[in-house]
Amino acid sequence: MTETLDIASIRKDFPILSREVNGHPLVYFDNGASSQKPQQVIDTISHYYQYENSNIHRGIHTLSQEATTAYEEARKTIQKFINAKHDHEIIFTKGTTDAINLVASSFGKKFLNEGDEIIISTMEHHSNIVPWQIICEEKGAILKVVPINDKGEFLVDEYEKLLSDKTKLVAVTHVSNTLGTINPVKEIIAKAHQKEALVLIDGAQAVPHTKVDVQELDADFYAFSGHKMFGPTGVGILYGKEGLLNSLPPYQGGGDMIKTVTFEKTTYNDLPHKFEAGTPNIVGGIALATAVDYINEIGIDKIETYEHELLNYATEQIKQIEGVRIIGEAQKKASVLSFVVDGTHPTDIGTIIDKLGIAIRTGHHCTEPLMNRFNIPGTARASFAFYNTFEEVDTFINALKRAVGMLL
Ligand code: C6P
């Protein structure tokens, strides 16, 4: 075990980690749902409201200009973080869900015709299923689904069979929120491009845990959420290649996304503003950049290595408990450990260990079709972040043993 990070000092940056829950020190293993925020992010939010608050892109007064500069600087920070070519390829959204809906609606309206095909995979979050179902229904297009194997791995061979000249877009998750599977997205993208299909990657569970380089991946669109990467809720990112974003119609109409408006004709603003109608989550964007700075300071490579060790340790430990069955045993996994205990319900496990201060998620994790694939109603899911410790894993395993003992 190589402790690559000074976890004790990192944990001091996250005030919530020192609280107690139900009389026990909090063990927060629900990072897949939402991560905790370092003091630096909390301070950015409070500083903004205390000293800079005003609307952006609208005022000539000093506060508005300062807020505009901070927001646009944040965009650049995020651009560098995922290595986008241009800052105007970074569209601020409400989150991953909003970003995917933007592409489904805007791309679908202009480019999707009857009989065209969209490909997704069995392990998609509802956010990367339902928007495509909506637009396919509207346009008479067909949704195809790539199967997975029993370990929870994307079947590239089956994917190749589904790709055809009718494929217009492939939408696949980078990392599965339920299984932890890391998908071979670079290969998936290259194969789609051979058929001249576009690719959207749902990066909600990837960006907080692994280095993402959108140019290296050659992704056409890449979506992620601020709140899962130590930033605020209500803000997220859609990355899109400049030429593609320029070719898409606006998603929503309103202030900021226009150049000129008359009752006869409206012309639209340039990127990125064309896709950012109305007053955005200004402080959210600025604080998301603080979260990115925080990740950069620690180092995403170190984060990945450490979390991998944590996941391996937790996996070995949980396998010692009789009756526990891991759901998702892909060769390449990020820090998600989903499991069921036959003869018990995940909710009961989650409820019992919550009494011991441990936060995990239970249920279908917004991946109902995936649950159907495994023929289970749901799982219990521990999802780790770099501020979690090996001692916390021990606490969780002991609590789990107790819960299983009570339930079986
Ligand atoms: N998954 C989980 O507990 P939003 O809600 O827009 O920030 O993210 C949606 C989303 C999209 N794709 C993936 C792969 C996700 O994991 C999520 C959010 C959370 O797993 C909440 S359901």
Side-chain angles (χ1 to χ4, degrees), residues 188-206:
I188 291 169
I189 292 168
K191 288 190 190 306
H193 286 171
Q194 281 165 15
K195 294 282 179 195
E196 293 182 10
L198 299 178
V199 184
L200 176 141
I201 301 296
D202 171 351
Q205 300 289 348

Side-chain angles (χ1 to χ4, degrees), residues 1 4 86 100 117 125 136 145 153-154 184 190 209 242 291 307 338:
M1 189 193 307
T4 48
H86 307 288
I100 298 173
E117 294 175 0
H125 187 279
C136 281
V145 183
E153 291 167 323
F154 182 97
H209 305 290
E242 180 185 43
E307 288 181 356
S338 252

Side-chain angles (χ1 to χ4, degrees), residues 30 32-34 94-98 100 125 127-128 173 175-178 202 204-205 225 227-228 361 365-366 381:
D30 195 19
S34 200
K94 285 189 286 182
T96 308
T97 305
D98 192 35
I100 298 173
H125 187 279
S127 298
N128 203 23
T173 195
V175 172
S176 159
N177 65 318
T178 303
D202 171 351
Q205 300 289 348
S225 297
H227 70 99
K228 293 188 201 289
R361 185 170 170 191
H365 314 295
C366 301
R381 181 190 71 178

